[in-house]
Amino acid sequence: MPVRSLHSFVLKWPDKETVTRAAHSWGQAQAAERPGLIRLGYFGSYARGNWGVGSDLDLVAVLDSSDRPFGERPLDWDLTPLPVPADLLVYTREEWNTVVHRGDRFAHTMTTEVVWLFSRTTPDQAVTDSSQA
């Protein structure tokens, strides 16, 4: 998280390398703990390279399936190991495939911008999109 010096009013925000290194480490831990996790990545300012002080980390996860409603799924994830605030979208495989085939701006962002931290793509868990893992 941002650190305030005791002797100044300057906020020191973690740089991109620190954030992406932490995201990769966190992603590998999530993959080890969640056998139903198919893909995990980040998008937004850190993926585009235009992050700055105050930028959050936008994450997306794709699960094989889930019994929880879409809005409740992020509650199952501990984002506190990440060095900046983070938002997480959690889709099932079926929902993800619907999102990336909608043809809207969000679908374009998800298929061109996501930097995948983890991908488990076996024939029975295939996830459709045009980006590489």
Side-chain angles (χ1 to χ4, degrees):
M1 283 300 195
V3 178
R4 180 180 274 235
S5 169
L6 295 175
H7 304 290
S8 80
F9 291 101
V10 175
L11 271 180
K12 182 177 190 292
W13 200 260
D15 62 17
K16 181 180 178 182
E17 293 74 28
T18 299
V19 173
T20 56
R21 205 172 27 249
H24 279 275
S25 177
W26 177 82
Q28 292 306 308
Q30 296 305 307
E33 293 174 15
R34 300 173 186 275
L37 179 62
I38 299 172
R39 293 184 109 179
L40 181 62
Y42 63 94
F43 64 101
S45 61
Y46 281 98
R48 290 187 307 268
N50 64 347
W51 65 278
V53 172
S55 291
D56 67 346
L57 183 62
D58 299 302
L59 298 160
V60 60
V62 181
L63 304 176
D64 188 45
S65 64
S66 177
D67 294 331
R68 299 211 40 184
F70 180 79
E72 293 179 9
R73 292 179 201 151
L75 300 174
D76 295 332
W77 301 67
D78 180 10
L79 304 174
T80 58
L82 298 167
V84 295
D87 289 321
L88 174 64
L89 301 173
V90 184
Y91 293 96
T92 64
R93 176 178 35 185
E94 184 177 319
E95 291 166 344
W96 177 256
N97 289 335
T98 299
V99 165
V100 299
H101 286 103
R102 284 192 314 223
D104 60 12
R105 184 176 178 193
F106 186 69
H108 179 74
T109 297
M110 293 294 101
T111 57
T112 62
E113 189 176 289
V114 176
V115 175
W116 295 109
L117 301 168
F118 170 80
S119 184
R120 177 187 348 247
T121 52
T122 62
D124 64 321
Q125 294 181 315
V127 175
T128 304
D129 76 12
S130 62
S131 61
Q132 299 295 314

